[in-house]
Each structure stands twice: as structure tokens, then as C-alpha cells.
């Protein structure tokens, strides 16, 4: 910006007579957002320049995941109460958030293998594999594995939150309940099943979704719900794929810092489907 532009801007700001400048007794933007602790939470363990990138990318992703969990929980409650429109708004927001965290991998991928090696040992056994918020997202979508809980025994408060989510119905469980409430025949045992068991599919659910998609005008809300769920699973798989390729690009097939098989583990989870009937009906229609 040249001197003339700066001068013009200063004159314009002087015309804004209502701008508050005295905050000795009032809350500021920084106060409201708790910026001081937030911006002082990037504690590098090495002197390497790129460790700041590594920390911030993961912290930002955790913040986005916190919002995904907030929206998913709200959507689950709304569907249970038959309030579909608010649920759709929340699920649409989740899809937009997912786009943000997918793109974050492109930023992290600007770090080369040689650069990462300069501080990787400082991480010890810490790994994104241990992200409890990511596990809460998986639980909300219905993917629950008991061995995961063992990771969090050191943190009893977090473990309790995870256990509660582990036993709670997923968004697909409440979607199946919504199908039944609409009068579509669903296996009775599914409606009050053990929600800690990973759902593997059911013929009556497949038939119900097929009816919905063949009678859109009659089941418009359920049709929209099905498509919102497909959007979310599609984006989650894109996130998983970008995660896998970024890891492969930076560390190849090395074992992860958390002890997982790294790229090989990330490839395996790509095969899991959260909402199987919604994908199978594409072929059945």
C-alpha cells in the first residue's frame, strides 16, 4: 500500500466517529476469543521452522472437529425429536467444515520429508491416532472399536466422555429410527439394539431406504436426510484419503509415532462404510 493509499485510509477511519477505542472497562475482541492462551499454545519442542506449521495444522483441525462434534450432537437430538430442518442445517454445516479440514492437508504437504525428520523424534509416542475428538466423530457416525478406549485410560475425564459416546446411538441409528417412525417396516431389534456394536447392515433398512428414494415426494425429509449422510461420509473418506497420501508423501511407509502401521493402517480404514444401505441402493435403484 503506497503513502497516498495509507493517508486516504487514515482519513476514512477518522470519519468513523463511533469506533470504540477505550476498553479499560469493556471486553475486547481478544478477551472474548481468549486469544492470549490460544496464540500462546504453539509450544515447539525443537528449533525447526516447520514445527510451527505442524502444530498449527493439527490444532486448527482439532478446533474444526470440536465444531463438527457440536453440530453432530445437535443433529442427532433434532432427528430424535422429529425436527428435520434444523438437523439438515447442522449436517450441511458439517459438510462445509469437512472441506476446511480436507484442504488443511494441502498446507501440511508443503513440508518435505527431510524437514519433518528434523523434529519428528521430539513427538515421542504422540500421534494424531490418539485424537479423542476424531474418535468422538467416528462414534457419532457409528464406527466403534473397544480397543481404542484403552488409549485414554491416562485421562479419566476424556475416557468417560468417550464411553458415553460409545454407548450412545449414532446418527445412523437415529436415522433408522426415523425410518420406523415414518411407518416403514424395520426389524424391531434394531430400534433398541446395543449401540456400542458396529452396525453391519439389515435387509429391512435397505428396503426402507429404497422405498424412500423411489417415493421422494412422500418421504422428502427422509430423502434429504439420506443425502446429507452420504455427503458427510463422502467428505470423511476424502479426508481419510488426503490424510493417507499426505502421510505417504512425508514419511512413506514408516511406522507412525503412535505405533500404528501408518499408511497401511490408513488404507484399511478407507474400506469401512458408515451407512452401507445408502451406498448399496445406488446400484439397487
Amino acid at each position: 500500500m503506497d503513502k497516498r493509499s495509507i493517508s486516504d485510509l487514515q482519513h476514512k477511519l477518522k470519519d468513523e466517529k463511533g469506533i470504540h477505542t477505550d476498553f479499560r472497562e469493556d471486553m475486547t475482541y481478544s478477551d472474548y476469543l481468549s486469544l492470549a492462551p490460544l496464540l500462546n499454545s504453539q509450544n515447539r519442542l525443537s528449533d525447526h521452522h516447520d514445527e510451527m506449521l505442524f502444530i498449527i495444522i493439527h490444532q486448527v483441525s482439532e478446533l474444526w472437529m470440536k465444531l463438527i462434534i457440536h453440530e453432530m450432537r445437535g443433529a442427532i437430538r433434532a432427528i430424535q425429536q422429529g425436527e428435520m430442518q434444523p438437523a439438515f442445517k447442522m449436517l450441511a454445516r458439517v459438510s462445509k467444515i469437512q472441506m476446511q479440514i480436507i484442504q488443511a492437508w494441502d498446507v501440511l504437504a508443503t513440508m518435505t520429508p527431510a524437514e519433518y525428520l528434523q523434529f519428528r523424534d521430539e513427538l515421542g509416542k504422540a500421534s494424531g491416532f490418539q485424537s479423542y475428538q476424531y474418535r468422538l466423530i467416528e462414534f457419532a457416525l457409528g464406527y466403534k472399536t473397544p480397543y481404542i478406549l484403552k488409549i485414554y485410560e491416562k485421562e479419566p475425564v476424556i475416557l468417560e466422555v468417550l464411553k458415553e459416546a460409545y454407548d450412545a446411538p449414532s446418527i445412523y441409528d437415529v436415522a433408522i429410527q426415523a425410518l420406523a417412525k415414518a411407518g416403514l417396516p424395520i426389524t424391531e431389534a434394531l430400534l433398541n439394539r446395543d449401540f456400542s456394536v458396529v452396525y453391519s447392515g439389515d435387509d429391512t433398512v435397505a428396503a426402507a431406504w429404497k422405498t424412500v428414494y423411489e417415493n421422494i415426494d412422500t418421504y422428502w425429509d427422509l430423502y434429504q436426510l439420506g443425502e446429507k449422510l452420504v455427503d458427510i461420509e463422502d467428505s470423511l473418506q476424502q479426508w481419510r484419503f488426503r490424510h493417507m497420501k499426505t502421510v505417504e508423501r512425508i514419511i512413506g511407509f514408516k511406522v507412525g509415532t503412535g505405533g500404528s502401521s501408518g499408511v497401511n493402517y490408513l488404507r484399511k480404514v478407507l474400506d469401512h462404510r458408515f451407512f452401507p444401505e445408502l451406498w448399496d441402493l445406488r446400484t439397487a435403484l
Side-chain angles (χ1 to χ4, degrees), residues 64-76 86-102 137 140-141 171 228-229 231-233 235-236 275:
W64 280 129
M65 283 192 279
K66 183 173 183 176
L67 186 53
I68 287 175
I69 294 163
H70 177 70
E71 300 297 338
M72 290 288 291
R73 286 173 173 169
I76 287 171
F88 297 157
K89 177 66 179 293
M90 295 170 197
L91 294 176
R93 183 174 292 157
V94 168
S95 293
K96 294 295 185 182
I97 297 166
Q98 288 176 301
M99 293 300 102
Q100 296 295 318
I101 59 176
I102 289 169
I137 292 171
L141 294 173
I171 196 159
K228 289 286 188 292
L229 294 180
D231 287 343
I232 288 171
E233 179 166 350
S235 294
L236 184 71
F275 317 130

Side-chain angles (χ1 to χ4, degrees), residues 109-124:
T110 63
M111 183 172 63
T112 68
E115 289 163 343
Y116 181 49
L117 284 174
Q118 295 299 309
F119 63 88
R120 186 179 190 239
D121 287 346
E122 301 294 342
L123 274 61

Side-chain angles (χ1 to χ4, degrees), residues 51-245:
E51 190 179 357
M52 183 65 77
L53 162 69
F54 189 81
I55 292 171
I56 288 176
I57 286 291
H58 287 85
Q59 287 182 338
V60 168
S61 294
E62 289 290 336
L63 284 171
W64 280 129
M65 283 192 279
K66 183 173 183 176
L67 186 53
I68 287 175
I69 294 163
H70 177 70
E71 300 297 338
M72 290 288 291
R73 286 173 173 169
I76 287 171
R77 287 193 298 271
I79 294 168
Q80 287 174 320
Q81 294 164 9
E83 298 174 354
M84 291 300 197
Q85 294 306 316
F88 297 157
K89 177 66 179 293
M90 295 170 197
L91 294 176
R93 183 174 292 157
V94 168
S95 293
K96 294 295 185 182
I97 297 166
Q98 288 176 301
M99 293 300 102
Q100 296 295 318
I101 59 176
I102 289 169
Q103 290 174 3
W105 293 119
D106 293 336
V107 183
L108 187 60
T110 63
M111 183 172 63
T112 68
E115 289 163 343
Y116 181 49
L117 284 174
Q118 295 299 309
F119 63 88
R120 186 179 190 239
D121 287 346
E122 301 294 342
L123 274 61
K125 295 178 181 178
S127 165
F129 186 84
Q130 298 145 15
S131 169
Y132 79 90
Q133 291 202 123
Y134 178 70
R135 299 306 170 188
L136 286 173
I137 292 171
E138 285 191 328
F139 291 177
L141 294 173
Y143 185 57
K144 302 174 181 182
T145 47
Y147 73 90
I148 288 296
L149 295 175
K150 190 170 181 61
I151 295 172
Y152 308 97
E153 290 177 351
K154 176 185 175 182
E155 302 168 289
V157 174
I158 291 174
L159 181 59
E160 191 59 34
V161 171
L162 283 163
K163 283 182 175 178
E164 184 178 348
Y166 189 82
D167 292 325
S170 72
I171 196 159
Y172 200 50
D173 288 316
V174 299
I176 292 170
Q177 291 169 355
L179 292 171
K181 288 175 184 177
L184 294 161
I186 298 293
T187 302
E188 186 65 29
L190 276 182
L191 304 178
N192 295 291
R193 71 185 190 89
D194 179 354
F195 298 119
S196 69
V197 177
V198 177
Y199 176 78
S200 58
D202 181 87
D203 289 343
T204 62
V205 173
W209 281 122
K210 190 169 185 290
T211 298
V212 167
Y213 275 71
E214 289 176 338
N215 299 274
I216 293 172
D217 291 341
T218 304
Y219 299 104
W220 178 246
D221 279 353
L222 291 171
Y223 171 70
Q224 286 190 85
L225 176 58
E227 287 302 288
K228 289 286 188 292
L229 294 180
V230 168
D231 287 343
I232 288 171
E233 179 166 350
D234 190 346
S235 294
L236 184 71
Q237 294 295 57
Q238 289 182 51
W239 182 89
R240 283 174 159 180
F241 180 79
R242 289 298 299 127
H243 184 189
M244 178 193 72
K245 295 308 291 184

